[in-house]
Amino acid sequence: MTFRTSRPFPPVILDDVRGAWKMLSGVARVTAMEGSRYLTELVGAPVQFKCENLQRTGSFKLRGAYVRIAGLTPEERAAGVVAASAGNHAQGVALASSLLGVRSTVFMPVGAPLPKVSATREYGAEVRMHGHVVDETLAAAEEYAERTGAVFIHPFDHPDIIAGQGTVGLEILEQCPEVRTIVVGIGGGGLAAGIAVAVKALRPDVRIVGVQAAGAAGYPPSLAAGHPVAVASPQTMADGIKVGRPGDIPFRLVQELVDEVRTVSEDELSSALLLCLERAKMVVEPAGASPVAALLSDPKAFAGPVVAVLSGGNVDPLLMQRILTHGMAAAGRYLSLRLRLTDRPGALATLLAALSVADANVLDVSHVRTDPRLGLTEAEVELHLETKGPAHCEEVATALRDAGYLVMS
């Protein structure tokens, strides 16, 4: 099965998605649907997670990559394929190519997370590191394709890719036939476009909401302008949706079929990732947690039952550590304070006793006596505390002030 990009709009229809679903039988998992009691109570209606973080290679990307490569002619397969990706698409292309017996070369940016680089190699691809941003990596992959004749497998801007990703939508309707709202992260738009094609053809009443990171949100200005608009310097921890410009083909489908595109902040993304880990026991990357971030930021805006697509779980452990710390701080679970006290024997012990009374757990203490900003009898202490929420943070700070300490931050 292959599609011609010259097909009149829409370039992908329900029959294409159904054909992709048959092709993926035995290749891609029908991923689980898991309920979230916490979000159900918050939204006031049933909320379920579509767990593509549990898909083979750790994300939905295998679906589109396999459909695209399976549709190549024998001559194209013999020439091999090339792709560019920071991680998820790379792994999808590598595994799909291995399953289909096609040689694959994947360009990845310098500094891509080591677990993603290693996984891509283990799935059978030749990995080449090039560029520091995905746009540079894409350019290198396209140049390689022109020079060698390898087929470039775009991460989102091709009908085959969109049809493959759309199989997520068919599964949602089968697993949750009463769904009223589907919330899905958007980068280039392939997943959201594919889901919209499938779902709107069968259930036009279902509301589809796309979610972008505020620092890499190309769709809101593009939708306002009526054509794809590039974000000059996309910045977000959610590398899976860190795309500067919407794809031409997915943009038209999103413009036609997706009901709304929302943006979420970095704080909201980190809080969502923390919630997935703590409450749902799900390891989810920031891009995959973006629908949860949207639900947390405005829970009453979504008619239920709601399905939030957890699109991927490939998160670097070091990034996970930083994000969790950030998420704990955003949720009022982690508090940093600087304060001054009189430099005398027992002063630090007295301070720690006051924190114990306030029920704050001390994680780290930095005690400075020699800074020129300090008076002769002063010392400065920087504290990192584990707390129980925003109200407890304020209680701790108030207790220290009431005890006579000068709290500066």
Side-chain angles (χ1 to χ4, degrees), residues 234-292:
Q235 296 294 328
T236 176
M237 70 175 79
D239 59 346
I241 53 174
K242 187 180 178 181
V243 177
R245 182 185 183 278
D248 292 327
I249 299 173
F251 172 78
R252 293 191 65 193
L253 293 167
V254 169
Q255 183 183 42
E256 180 77 16
L257 300 172
V258 172
D259 296 283
E260 180 185 5
V261 176
R262 290 174 168 249
T263 61
V264 292
S265 69
E266 299 298 284
D267 282 351
E268 289 165 341
L269 284 169
S270 59
S271 295
L273 189 147
L274 182 62
L275 182 139
C276 288
L277 189 63
E278 280 195 324
R279 299 298 184 99
K281 314 307 177 191
M282 288 284 177
V283 176
V284 182
E285 63 190 271
S290 59
V292 179

Side-chain angles (χ1 to χ4, degrees), residues 196-357:
V197 167
V199 172
K200 288 293 187 178
L202 296 169
R203 287 279 310 280
D205 59 301
V206 174
R207 184 172 179 80
I208 299 176
V209 179
V211 184
Q212 292 205 285
Y219 267 91
S222 298
L223 292 169
H227 58 82
V229 174
V231 176
S233 299
Q235 296 294 328
T236 176
M237 70 175 79
D239 59 346
I241 53 174
K242 187 180 178 181
V243 177
R245 182 185 183 278
D248 292 327
I249 299 173
F251 172 78
R252 293 191 65 193
L253 293 167
V254 169
Q255 183 183 42
E256 180 77 16
L257 300 172
V258 172
D259 296 283
E260 180 185 5
V261 176
R262 290 174 168 249
T263 61
V264 292
S265 69
E266 299 298 284
D267 282 351
E268 289 165 341
L269 284 169
S270 59
S271 295
L273 189 147
L274 182 62
L275 182 139
C276 288
L277 189 63
E278 280 195 324
R279 299 298 184 99
K281 314 307 177 191
M282 288 284 177
V283 176
V284 182
E285 63 190 271
S290 59
V292 179
L295 291 173
L296 288 173
S297 66
D298 191 7
K300 301 306 179 185
F302 302 90
V306 178
V307 173
V309 181
L310 306 184
S311 57
N314 293 317
V315 58
D316 179 65
L318 294 176
L319 177 61
M320 172 72 88
Q321 185 178 22
R322 294 197 299 270
I323 291 171
L324 290 178
T325 299
H326 186 81
M328 288 180 69
R333 301 270 302 281
Y334 187 82
L335 176 64
S336 296
L337 291 173
R338 284 189 309 116
L339 50 85
R340 290 186 183 178
L341 45 73
T342 302
D343 188 15
R344 57 177 175 77
L348 183 57
T350 302
L351 170 61
L352 295 177
L355 290 169
S356 177
V357 171

